[in-house]
C-alpha cells in the first residue's frame, strides 16, 4: 500500500512517518488546525552534497502559539565534523559534536516529532536537503513534509522584500526580516534559537496576512 | 554547548525584567517559562473579544501595545491601555468570568502566555508579587467593577522586610568602642553581695563584673541575680558574690559590630555583654555594655539619636542630629520601610528636639530675668506636624495655648512674654534646619499664640463662618497634637474642635467638598495627567492631587466616625478599618495608597532636595508607575465614597 519499490522490512517509525506525512493537504483547513513546527538545523558547511547535520531544533506551533514546553533540540554526533569557517558561526566545535547523539537516532526521533506536520523554516530548502540526505542514507526514504519558507513568505508578502527584478536579489535573511518586523531575535545561530525566532516571524507574517485579507487564514493561503 | 533550555532561559530573562516576576524567586520563573506559549499579533488583530471565556494562560505583553475596549449599546470606548511588561487577562482568569473588554492590538505585539494555575500558586506564596498583582487589578474600578484580591497562603510575614531594616542598620552600623577603663566596675569573687550591691547602687549601674587578679572576667553579678537569690531567695547578703554571679561571662571583642552584639544578647537572653581584649573570657575585661548602651552606640539607630537629643546642650549639636535623622530616613526608605512608620519615628525624634529647645529657651529666659508667666501653657503641633508626617524638615506648623488670666490686660502682658519665648524657640528651630511656615502657622505669630479662651471662641466661629480663612485655620487645628507643657490645657480645646465638626453637618459638607475638589492625575485611560502650566509643567502635583484628598478624607471620616485616638493619617485609616466595618476594605486600601504616595514623595524629596511635591512621571519605573496608578484609583474611590456619604452632587 505504500507505493512502488518500498522494502517490506522497513522499521515501524519509518512506516508511520511515510503513512502520515504527505504532500496532500486540504486547502480549506483552518490555520488553527494545521500542525506547524518551526525547524532550524546547523550544519558542518554549506555544500549540500558534502556537509552533514550538527544540530536540529524544533518548536511546535499550535493554535497560533509557539509551544515552548514541547520544543526539542538534538546535538548530532558527526565523526568527521570539520573545524572550518562554519564553526565560527554556529560554535559547535568537533569536540562538542563528539558528545552528541548518533545521526540515525536523531533522525528517528525527529521523524516522530515532525510526522504529519508542516515545517516552517527560514531558508528551509537547504536544511531540508541536508536532512533529506541523512534520511536517504540512513533509512532510504525522502523528506516528505510540506514546508513553508519564511524568507519566501517575506518576499511574497512584505513590500520591503518584494522581488525587484534585480538579478542578484536573494531571499532576505532572518535578521533582516526580524529587524523589519520589530521582533526580538533569540539566540541567533543556535538551532533552537533560530527555530524559535523563525516561529515568531511566521506568526507575525500570518498576522499581517490575516489583517490584509480581513479573515482567518486557511491552508490554501500558505501552501500552494 | 547545551541548548536544551536556551528558549525558556531567554523567556525567563525577559520576564524577570517586569513585576511581578521580578519579585519572585528566579528559578520559579525559569520553571514557568518552560511551559510558555508565545504568540505574535499584529496591529489590527484582537487578543480576545468581549464575552470570550478565559483561557488557561495569563498573558504578559513583552512588546507592543494593546487597548481594552468596551462596547455597550453599540457604543465602543477605550477603557485602558497595556504596554510592555503589563499583564493581560488577569481579571477574567481570577473571576472565571468572560472578558468584559475586547483587547485590540494597536502595535505589533509579542505575548508570552503563562499557565495560570502554576502562576497562581507562585503568587500565593510571595507577598510582594501578590500585592503588585492585586494593585494591578484595581484598574477595573474605573469601570465600576468590583475587586477580587488574590488570597495569601500564609499570614502576612514580616521576615523579608525585617531583613531589610536590619540591613539598614548594618549600613550605618558602628563598632563597639570600649569606654575609659576606670569606668569599669569590678570586684573579686570573695567580695560580699552586700558590698557589690552598694557599689552598684552608688554608681547606678545594673551589674558588677567579677574578675581574677589578672583582670579576666570570671562572672557577672546582676541586679536580677541578687533579686532572685538574696531578696526572693534564702542567701544571706554577707555571702560572697561568687554564689550569685552568672558564669561564664558572654564576651565580645572590641571593634566588633554593635548590632551583632545586640543580637548576641538577644539570643543569649542576657542584659550585659563584656568586652575583652581578644573577645574571649581568657583576656582582660575592658568594658561592660548593656543593650541600652549599645543601642545608643549603634549610630543609625533612632534609640541612640533620641538619647543624643536629650543630652545635646547646644543648638548646633541639635542641628547635626537633625541632619542625622534625615540620613536615617533615607536609608530606611531605601530599605522599604513604610513612610507612615517613618513619620512616626521622625515625629518622636522631632518631638524630643522641640522639648529640648523649649527647655533650653526656658532656661535662657530665666537667665535674662524674664521668666515665663505662671499660667499653664502648652506647645502644640498642628498641620502635618500634628499628623506625624513631618519626616523631613519641611516647614514647621505649631502653636501655643496658654491659660487665660483674670482680665484681658493681664492676658496681653502674658502674651507679650510668651511671644518672646516662642520667637526664640522658632528661631532655634530655623537654626536646626526647619523652614518658617509660609502660611504663618507658628507659635511666634500672635494669631497662633492665644489663651485657651481665645482658642475656644475662635473654634465656635469656624462652624458658622463662610469665609475660607477660618476654615483653613480649622483644618490646621483639626490635626493638633500636644507636644510639651501642660496637657490639661489642650484637652478642652481639642474636644471643642472635634465637637464643632461632629455637630455641624454643614461644616462636614464643606470639608467633604475639599476632598473631592481635586481629581487624581490619572485620566480614565490610566494615563497620568500632568500640570500644564507654571514651573512644574510636565509633572504632577503629588501633594495636591493625591495626598491631600486622602489626608482630608481620613480626617473627615475619623471625625465623623469618632475615631480620634490617633493623629496620623495612616493611624486614622487604620482605626477606621478596625472600627467601622462598612469602611473596612476602603480604609485598608486607602492606608496602603497613602503609604505608597508618601514614600514616593519622600524619595523625590530626598533625591531633589526639595519638598517632593511634584513628580515627573517619565522618571518613574514601571513598578512605581503601577503603584501610583493604583494609588490614584484608590483616591478616586475614596472621593466617590465621600461624595455619596456627604450628599455632594456628582460632578
Amino acid at each position: 500500500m505504500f507505493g512502488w519499490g518500498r522494502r517490506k522490512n522497513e522499521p515501524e517509525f519509518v512506516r508511520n512517518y511515510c503513512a502520515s506525512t504527505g504532500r496532500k493537504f486540504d486547502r480549506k483547513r483552518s490555520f488553527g488546525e494545521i500542525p506547524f513546527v518551526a525547524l532550524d538545523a546547523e550544519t558542518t558547511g554549506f555544500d549540500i552534497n558534502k556537509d552533514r547535520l550538527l544540530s536540529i531544533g524544533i518548536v511546535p506551533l499550535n493554535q497560533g502559539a509557539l509551544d515552548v514546553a514541547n520544543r526539542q533540540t538534538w546535538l548530532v554526533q558527526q565523526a568527521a565534523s570539520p573545524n572550518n569557517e562554519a564553526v565560527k558561526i554556529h560554535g559547535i566545535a568537533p569536540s562538542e559534536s563528539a558528545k552528541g547523539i548518533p545521526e540515525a537516532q536523531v533522525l528517528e526521533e525527529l521523524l516522530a516529532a515532525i510526522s504529519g506536520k508542516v515545517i516552517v523554516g527560514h531558508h528551509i530548502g537547504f536544511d531540508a536537503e541536508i536532512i533529506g540526505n541523512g534520511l536517504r542514507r540512513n533509512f532510504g526514504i525522502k523528506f516528505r513534509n510540506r514546508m513553508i519558507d519564511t524568507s519566501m513568505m517575506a518576499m511574497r508578502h512584505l513590500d520591503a522584500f518584494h522581488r525587484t527584478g534585480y538579478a542578484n536579489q536573494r531571499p532576505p535573511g532572518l535578521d533582516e526580516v526580524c529587524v523589519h518586523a520589530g521582533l526580538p531575535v533569540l539566540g541567533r545561530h543556535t538551532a533552537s534559537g533560530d527555530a524559535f525566532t523563525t516561529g515568531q516571524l511566521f506568526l507575525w507574517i500570518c498576522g499581517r496576512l490575516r489583517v490584509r485579507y480581513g479573515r482567518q487564514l486557511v491552508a490554501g493561503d500558505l501552501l500552494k | 554547548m547545551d541548548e536544551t533550555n536556551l528558549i525558556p532561559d531567554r523567556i525567563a530573562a525577559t520576564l524577570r525584567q517586569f513585576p511581578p516576576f521580578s519579585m519572585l524567586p528566579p528559578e520559579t520563573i525559569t520553571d514557568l517559562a518552560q511551559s510558555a506559549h508565545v504568540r505574535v499579533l499584529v496591529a489590527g488583530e484582537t487578543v480576545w473579544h468581549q464575552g470570550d471565556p478565559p483561557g488557561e494562560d495569563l498573558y504578559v505583553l513583552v512588546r507592543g501595545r494593546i487597548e481594552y475596549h468596551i462596547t455597550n449599546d453599540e457604543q465602543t470606548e477605550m477603557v485602558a491601555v497595556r504596554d510592555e511588561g503589563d499583564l493581560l487577562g488577569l481579571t477574567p482568569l481570577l473571576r472565571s468570568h468572560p472578558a468584559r473588554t475586547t483587547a485590540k492590538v494597536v502595535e505589533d505585539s509579542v505575548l508570552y502566555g503563562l499557565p495560570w494555575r502554576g502562576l497562581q500558586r507562585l503568587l500565593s506564596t510571595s507577598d510582594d508579587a501578590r500585592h503588585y498583582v492585586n494593585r494591578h487589578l484595581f484598574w477595573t474600578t474605573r469601570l465600576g467593577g468590583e475587586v477580587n484580591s488574590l488570597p495569601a497562603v500564609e499570614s502576612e510575614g514580616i521576615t523579608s522586610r525585617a531583613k531589610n531594616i536590619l540591613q539598614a542598620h548594618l549600613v550605618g552600623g558602628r563598632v563597639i568602642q570600649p569606654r575609659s577603663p576606670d569606668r569599669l566596675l569590678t570586684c573579686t569573687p570573695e567580695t560580699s553581695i552586700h558590698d557589690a550591691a552598694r557599689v552598684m547602687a552608688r554608681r547606678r549601674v545594673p551589674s558588677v563584673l567579677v574578675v581574677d587578679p589578672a583582670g579576666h572576667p570570671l562572672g557577672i553579678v546582676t541586679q536580677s541575680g541578687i533579686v532572685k537569690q538574696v531578696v526572693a531567695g534564702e542567701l544571706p547578703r554577707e555571702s560572697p558574690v561568687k554564689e550569685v554571679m552568672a558564669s561564664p561571662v558572654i564576651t565580645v571583642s572590641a571593634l566588633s559590630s554593635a548590632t551583632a552584639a545586640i543580637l548576641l544578647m538577644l539570643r543569649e537572653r542576657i542584659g550585659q555583654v563584656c568586652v575583652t581584649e581578644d573577645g574571649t573570657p581568657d583576656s582582660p575585661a575592658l568594658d561592660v555594655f548593656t543593650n541600652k548602651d549599645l543601642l545608643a552606640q549603634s549610630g543609625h539607630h533612632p534609640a541612640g539619636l533620641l538619647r543624643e537629643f536629650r543630652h545635646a546642650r547646644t543648638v548646633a549639636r541639635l542641628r547635626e542630629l537633625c541632619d542625622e535623622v534625615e540620613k536615617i530616613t533615607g536609608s530606611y526608605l531605601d530599605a522599604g520601610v513604610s513612610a507612615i512608620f517613618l513619620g512616626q519615628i521622625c515625629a518622636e525624634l522631632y518631638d524630643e528636639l522641640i522639648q529640648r529647645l523649649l527647655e533650653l529657651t526656658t532656661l535662657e529666659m530665666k537667665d535674662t530675668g524674664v521668666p515665663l508667666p505662671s499660667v499653664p501653657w502648652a506647645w502644640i503641633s498642628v498641620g502635618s506636624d500634628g499628623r506625624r508626617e513631618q519626616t523631613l524638615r519641611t516647614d514647621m506648623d505649631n502653636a501655643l495655648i496658654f491659660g487665660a488670666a483674670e482680665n484681658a490686660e493681664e492676658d496681653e502682658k502674658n502674651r507679650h512674654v510668651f511671644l518672646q519665648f516662642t520667637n526664640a524657640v522658632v528661631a532655634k528651630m530655623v537654626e536646626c534646619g526647619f523652614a518658617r511656615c509660609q502660611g504663618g502657622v507658628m507659635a511666634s505669630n500672635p494669631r497662633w499664640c492665644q489663651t485657651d479662651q481665645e482658642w475656644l471662641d475662635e473654634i465656635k466661629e469656624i462652624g458658622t463662618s463662610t469665609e475660607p480663612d477660618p476654615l483653613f485655620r480649622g483644618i490646621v487645628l483639626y490635626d493638633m497634637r500636644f507636644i510639651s507643657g501642660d496637657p490639661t490645657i489642650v484637652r478642652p480645646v481639642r474636644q471643642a474642635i472635634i465637637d464643632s465638626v461632629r455637630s455641624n453637618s454643614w461644616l462636614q459638607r464643606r470639608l467633604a467638598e475639599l476632598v473631592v475638589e481635586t481629581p487624581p492625575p490619572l485620566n480614565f485611560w490610566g494615563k497620568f495627567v500632568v500640570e500644564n502650566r507654571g514651573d512644574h509643567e510636565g509633572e504632577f502635583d503629588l501633594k495636591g492631587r493625591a495626598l491631600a484628598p486622602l489626608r482630608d478624607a481620613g480626617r473627615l471620616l475619623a471625625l465623623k466616625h469618632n475615631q480620634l485616638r490617633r493623629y496620623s493619617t495612616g493611624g486614622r485609616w487604620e482605626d477606621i478599618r478596625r472600627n467601622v466595618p462598612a469602611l473596612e476594605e476602603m480604609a485598608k486600601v486607602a492606608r496602603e495608597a497613602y503609604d505608597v504616595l508618601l514614600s514616593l514623595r519622600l524619595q523625590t524629596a530626598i533625591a531633589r532636595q526639595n519638598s517632593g511635591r511634584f513628580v515627573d512621571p517619565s522618571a518613574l519605573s514601571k513598578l512605581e508607575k503601577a503603584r501610583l496608578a493604583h494609588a490614584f484609583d484608590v483616591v478616586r474611590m475614596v472621593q466617590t465614597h465621600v461624595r455619596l456619604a456627604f450628599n455632594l452632587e456628582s460632578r
Side-chain angles (χ1 to χ4, degrees), chain B residues 228-288:
Chain B
K228 221 184 293 170
Q229 307 264 14
V230 184
V231 183
E234 300 298 321
L235 208 65
R237 63 183 193 178
E238 284 75 28
S239 349
V241 289
K242 64 181 178 191
E243 305 278 330
V244 294
M245 71 184 188
S247 181
V249 182
I250 306 292
T251 54
V252 294
S253 66
L255 303 180
S256 57
S257 150
T259 308
I262 292 174
L263 294 178
L264 176 73
M265 289 162 78
L266 283 174
R267 208 174 61 228
E268 298 286 340
R269 294 163 202 266
I270 51 173
Q272 286 86 12
V273 71
C274 177
V275 184
T276 62
E277 266 182 20
D278 68 357
T280 70
D282 301 322
S283 63
L286 298 173
D287 202 350
V288 170

Side-chain angles (χ1 to χ4, degrees), chain B residues 353-418:
Chain B
L353 166 79
I354 292 166
Q355 179 84 36
R356 192 74 194 125
L357 291 176
L358 290 170
E359 281 167 22
L360 288 173
T361 316
T362 312
L363 282 175
E364 270 173 28
M365 300 268 297
K366 206 183 263 169
D367 289 348
T368 50
V370 196
L372 288 179
S374 55
V375 290
W377 59 271
W379 182 279
I380 56 173
S381 275
V382 292
S384 69
D385 228 343
R387 286 190 311 272
R388 297 178 165 237
E389 280 156 18
Q390 191 76 298
T391 314
L392 303 170
R393 284 165 289 175
T394 47
D395 52 352
M396 61 177 94
D397 292 314
N398 46 47
L400 194 86
I401 305 177
F402 60 93
E406 299 289 306
N407 52 52
E409 202 179 318
E410 195 71 15
D411 282 345
E412 279 316 308
K413 229 195 284 174
N414 287 348
R415 193 192 322 275
H416 182 72
V417 181
F418 275 120

Side-chain angles (χ1 to χ4, degrees), chain B residues 100-113:
Chain B
R100 300 185 60 199
T101 57
T102 297
K104 290 190 177 166
V105 181
V106 287
E107 279 170 26
D108 295 0
S109 298
V110 178
L111 298 164
Y112 290 171

Side-chain angles (χ1 to χ4, degrees), chain B residues 200-251:
Chain B
M200 279 159 68
R202 197 173 63 239
R203 295 275 293 268
R204 279 185 291 179
V205 291
S207 64
V208 178
L209 195 67
V210 183
V211 292
D212 65 10
H216 297 188
L218 295 172
I220 190 162
V221 183
T222 61
Q223 285 176 347
S224 67
I226 296 177
V227 168
K228 221 184 293 170
Q229 307 264 14
V230 184
V231 183
E234 300 298 321
L235 208 65
R237 63 183 193 178
E238 284 75 28
S239 349
V241 289
K242 64 181 178 191
E243 305 278 330
V244 294
M245 71 184 188
S247 181
V249 182
I250 306 292
T251 54

